[in-house]
Amino acid sequence: MPKTHRWWDSHIQVPVVLPVSDTLWRVYVAARDVNNRGSTIMAELDPSRDFEVLSISQGHMLLPGPPGSFDSQSVGITSAQSDGDHVVFAGGGMRLLNDRPYEISTSIVESHDGGATLQKVGTTPIVTGGKDNPFGAGMAQLIRTDGRWHLWFTSFRSWFRKDGIDAEPRTDIRHAVSDDLRTWTQDEIPAIALAGEHEGALTRASVLPCPEGYEMWYCSRGRFDPVDDTLRRYKIGYATSVDGTHWTRRDSEHAFLNPPQSGDWDHEMQCYATVVSFQGKTYMIYCGNTYGLTTIGYAIRANDGA
């Protein structure tokens, strides 16, 4: 985070990467102002020079909606799918509620200048709370493949509240398809289901097509434990699929060859990762301790291009 900024006061979460050229990446992050309202910051980086920061946007890339709207508290993007200068983003919005802390919904955002500026598409979400996702749906990954749009997203299934602790959502990861970005058909089963009562949340899927089908990275955490607060710290999981609908969890196959050490920016938590292929290498850009309060970083897949 910069020491001074026109409105950015805290947080650097949910990175979204848009490779533009050999020397330019646009990286979008969720940031908050002094009133804890969220919007999007864009940083331009040079991947040929160890991701040197070239510029950081000063204005709001997107503005929260009016009172009562699905994005009245926060607005942002969670993935990018480019087609030349036209880029389609999975967007997201948050509104505050009385019976539970918040509701998250998924929307569409686009750009007609290679991601330099962003525009909301419509004023309503494409996936939100309802019959299929009882308490909201967000953190979506949007991909166009085989002539259809695919969406993998966090589905809010329930909220848990106990005296003396903050209300805690339980979430899993779901999948939906569309031909036009407006009407979506959601699978009846989760893409990635909670492993049991001990698991509290699965969120922020990042999906890459591969020769065998698809790979997914996501983050998972346990449930609140008054004795062991480390159970609520996110870690990164991994799964594979042939068809994008039926997935096999392979969490043990994701690991860092040089694991974070005590005192590192990511030694307590790795979360909200996005994975991109670029020039024969696979990059993971992710948030660290305290849910991405201050830092993002990256890792490169071992043996890529070998």
Side-chain angles (χ1 to χ4, degrees), residues 150-192:
H150 292 256
L151 197 72
W152 291 271
F153 59 92
T154 304
S155 177
F156 285 68
R157 311 308 299 174
S158 63
W159 282 86
F160 173 77
R161 189 184 299 272
K162 189 174 182 180
D163 291 345
I165 66 170
D166 294 335
E168 178 182 56
R170 297 200 77 202
T171 64
D172 59 19
I173 295 173
R174 304 272 166 156
H175 171 247
V177 295
S178 174
D179 294 319
D180 58 10
L181 289 175
R182 294 186 296 272
T183 303
W184 292 84
T185 301
Q186 183 171 319
D187 295 342
E188 294 183 358
I189 61 173
I192 309 291

Side-chain angles (χ1 to χ4, degrees), residues 14-94:
V14 196
V16 174
V17 175
L18 180 63
V20 177
S21 71
D22 292 348
T23 58
L24 178 61
W25 278 17
R26 290 188 166 122
V27 179
Y28 309 84
V29 296
R32 304 184 194 180
D33 64 16
V34 293
N35 297 312
N36 206 37
R37 297 186 81 195
S39 186
T40 298
I41 290 287
M42 179 183 70
E44 294 188 325
L45 312 179
D46 185 346
S48 71
R49 293 192 287 180
D50 197 25
F51 297 100
E52 176 186 345
V53 177
L54 305 176
S55 66
I56 295 176
S57 63
Q58 291 296 311
H60 291 79
M61 299 292 293
L62 295 167
L63 288 172
S69 62
F70 77 95
D71 57 355
S72 56
Q73 177 65 21
S74 296
V75 64
I77 57 174
T78 56
S79 72
Q81 175 76 68
S82 63
D83 181 16
D85 284 341
H86 183 227
V87 187
V88 179
F89 299 88
M94 174 192 289

Side-chain angles (χ1 to χ4, degrees), residues 95-237:
R95 62 174 181 153
L96 303 182
L97 300 174
N98 292 324
D99 63 337
R100 58 189 186 276
Y102 58 83
E103 180 181 71
I104 291 178
S105 302
T106 297
S107 62
I108 297 295
V109 172
E110 65 180 355
S111 172
H112 294 280
D113 55 11
T117 61
L118 307 178
Q119 298 87 39
K120 298 180 186 179
V121 177
T123 58
T124 58
I126 57 169
V127 183
T128 188
K131 176 176 68 69
D132 294 330
N133 308 287
F135 297 99
M139 292 271 196
Q141 167 82 56
L142 180 68
I143 291 178
R144 185 169 176 80
T145 182
D146 297 328
R148 308 194 79 188
W149 292 98
H150 292 256
L151 197 72
W152 291 271
F153 59 92
T154 304
S155 177
F156 285 68
R157 311 308 299 174
S158 63
W159 282 86
F160 173 77
R161 189 184 299 272
K162 189 174 182 180
D163 291 345
I165 66 170
D166 294 335
E168 178 182 56
R170 297 200 77 202
T171 64
D172 59 19
I173 295 173
R174 304 272 166 156
H175 171 247
V177 295
S178 174
D179 294 319
D180 58 10
L181 289 175
R182 294 186 296 272
T183 303
W184 292 84
T185 301
Q186 183 171 319
D187 295 342
E188 294 183 358
I189 61 173
I192 309 291
L194 292 165
E197 286 300 312
H198 67 283
E199 194 162 51
L202 304 168
T203 189
R204 217 295 161 92
S206 182
V207 177
L208 279 184
C210 65
E212 296 77 23
Y214 300 89
E215 297 179 283
M216 180 193 295
W217 291 261
Y218 52 91
C219 53
S220 65
R221 63 163 174 79
R223 303 188 70 175
F224 173 79
D225 187 314
V227 177
D228 185 2
D229 65 357
T230 66
L231 296 178
R232 293 188 74 186
R233 296 176 183 174
Y234 277 118
K235 58 184 178 181
I236 295 172

